[in-house]
Amino acid sequence: MENRLARYQAPRKSKVLASVLKPADASRSVFEVAWDVLSRQAFPLEVTDAAELAERMTRSEAFGAAQAAGWVAGVLTASFAYPPAKDELPDAKLCALDDDVVAALGADSVWHANADGHPLPVFNESGRGFGWSSITRATFDVVVVARGSGLDLVLASFDED
């Protein structure tokens, strides 16, 4: 599945910093794992360490697999600076990948995002805005981390206006 994440982002030349699904490291928090992944990217981060990343990622309430639908697809495809005029779901292959990632992490997985709204407007509650705590130095960014079923997920995307 990790290869499917990488294959999807490569041909799009998207502004995705990271899309990693790997075996969980039980000796470290998911935020420490995410810090390792993000700090290796050639893009300036606003956070300076795993503790600051964890603080920003936990400003919004954690959620479970039942609320995780569309987050993988949203991080990989959404335009945060110039959202579409109408709500559209991503392509069927990406929706299937989204479903597979959520299923692989399992029903008991715990998800964190630096945003308090979903990156795909179709999943947001009516009238709810989209706020976030910056992780990168980009104008807009969305970072999602999850842990479940012995796996860690790190997704990060950015956009400029």
Side-chain angles (χ1 to χ4, degrees), residues 5-157:
L5 285 167
R7 277 195 309 266
Y8 187 82
Q9 102 185 40
R12 295 182 59 249
K13 296 185 176 126
S14 64
K15 297 175 183 174
V16 176
L17 292 173
S19 58
V20 177
L21 182 67
K22 60 191 246 172
D25 181 349
S27 68
R28 300 181 327 145
S29 76
V30 71
F31 304 110
E32 291 170 310
V33 172
W35 171 253
D36 286 350
V37 170
L38 295 175
S39 64
R40 291 185 189 130
Q41 305 302 315
F43 192 84
L45 297 175
E46 188 170 295
V47 295
T48 57
D49 57 24
E52 187 176 8
L53 176 65
E55 187 274 324
R56 292 190 188 193
M57 295 292 295
T58 56
R59 287 180 186 171
S60 296
E61 193 173 320
F63 53 99
Q67 296 80 34
W71 276 93
V72 173
V75 172
L76 293 176
T77 64
S79 173
F80 311 115
Y82 303 103
K86 63 180 186 169
D87 291 343
E88 293 182 12
L89 289 173
D91 66 63
K93 286 183 182 179
L94 186 57
C95 287
L97 175 60
D98 188 290
D99 292 343
D100 290 347
V101 170
V102 173
L105 288 163
D108 294 332
S109 58
V110 177
W111 295 65
H112 298 272
N114 68 322
D116 58 7
H118 200 287
L120 295 175
V122 72
F123 286 99
N124 272 326
E125 297 169 20
S126 180
R128 185 173 180 182
F130 187 82
W132 72 97
S133 298
S134 295
I135 304 298
T136 71
R137 292 192 184 148
T139 305
F140 304 99
D141 61 30
V142 174
V143 177
V144 174
V145 299
R147 177 170 277 176
S149 298
L151 297 170
D152 284 336
L153 173 70
V154 179
L155 297 172
S157 184

